[in-house]
Amino acid sequence: MVGVVGDAKYNDLQQPAPPTIYANLLQQDFIGSQLAIRTRINPDGVASAVRQTEATILKTVPIVRIMTMTEQIDSSIVPQRLIAMLSAGFGALGAMLAAIGLYGLWRTRSRGAHMRSAFAWRSVQQD
C-alpha cells in the first residue's frame, strides 16, 4: 500500500462516491486512464510540462485531453445549470408579462377616470 486517499466523485456530483482502487499505472496490463495532478500554480502552465514528462515515460500512450478541476466540475453540472437558466428566463418573462398587464390595467382605469371627470365637467358646464 502506498497511501490512503479520501472518496472522490468522478462523473456526477449528485451520486455518492464509488468504491475505487488506485494502482500504479506502470504495473497495469492496460494503460489507459486518468491522471490527476494537484498544483498551486496556474494549471495551464503545468500542462506542457506534463505532456513532455508523459511523452518521455509512456511513449505509446498519447494524452487526449487535459482539463482543470474547474472545467470538469462545470461540465458535470451542465444539466442543473441549464434548468436554472431556463427557470430564471421564464421567471423574468412572467414578471415582464405581469408588469405589462398591470400597466394596461392602470392605463384603462386612469383613462376611464379621466373620461368620467371630463364627462362630469361637461355636464356641470352645460347646466
Side-chain angles (χ1 to χ4, degrees), residues 33-56:
S33 61
Q34 297 177 0
L35 175 66
I37 299 173
R38 178 179 291 183
T39 179
R40 293 177 190 250
I41 61 174
N42 184 4
D44 297 328
V46 176
S48 63
V50 168
R51 285 186 190 277
Q52 291 173 353
T53 305
E54 187 272 339
T56 58

Side-chain angles (χ1 to χ4, degrees), residues 23-31:
N24 185 344
L25 183 65
L26 298 175
Q27 294 178 349
Q28 299 297 314
D29 294 334
F30 172 73
I31 299 178

Side-chain angles (χ1 to χ4, degrees), residues 2-102:
V2 175
V4 177
V5 296
D7 291 340
K9 296 183 177 187
Y10 294 103
N11 297 323
D12 189 3
L13 294 175
Q14 305 298 327
Q15 300 296 323
T20 307
I21 296 174
Y22 298 96
N24 185 344
L25 183 65
L26 298 175
Q27 294 178 349
Q28 299 297 314
D29 294 334
F30 172 73
I31 299 178
S33 61
Q34 297 177 0
L35 175 66
I37 299 173
R38 178 179 291 183
T39 179
R40 293 177 190 250
I41 61 174
N42 184 4
D44 297 328
V46 176
S48 63
V50 168
R51 285 186 190 277
Q52 291 173 353
T53 305
E54 187 272 339
T56 58
I57 295 173
L58 302 170
K59 295 177 178 62
T60 60
V61 180
I63 292 181
V64 177
R65 178 178 53 191
I66 293 180
M67 293 176 64
T68 64
M69 185 61 71
T70 304
E71 292 170 344
Q72 289 181 0
I73 291 171
D74 287 347
S75 67
S76 71
I77 59 172
V78 167
Q80 290 89 349
R81 184 174 289 156
L82 177 65
I83 290 171
M85 287 191 312
L86 285 173
S87 298
F90 284 126
L93 179 65
M96 185 178 70
L97 288 173
I100 290 170
L102 289 174

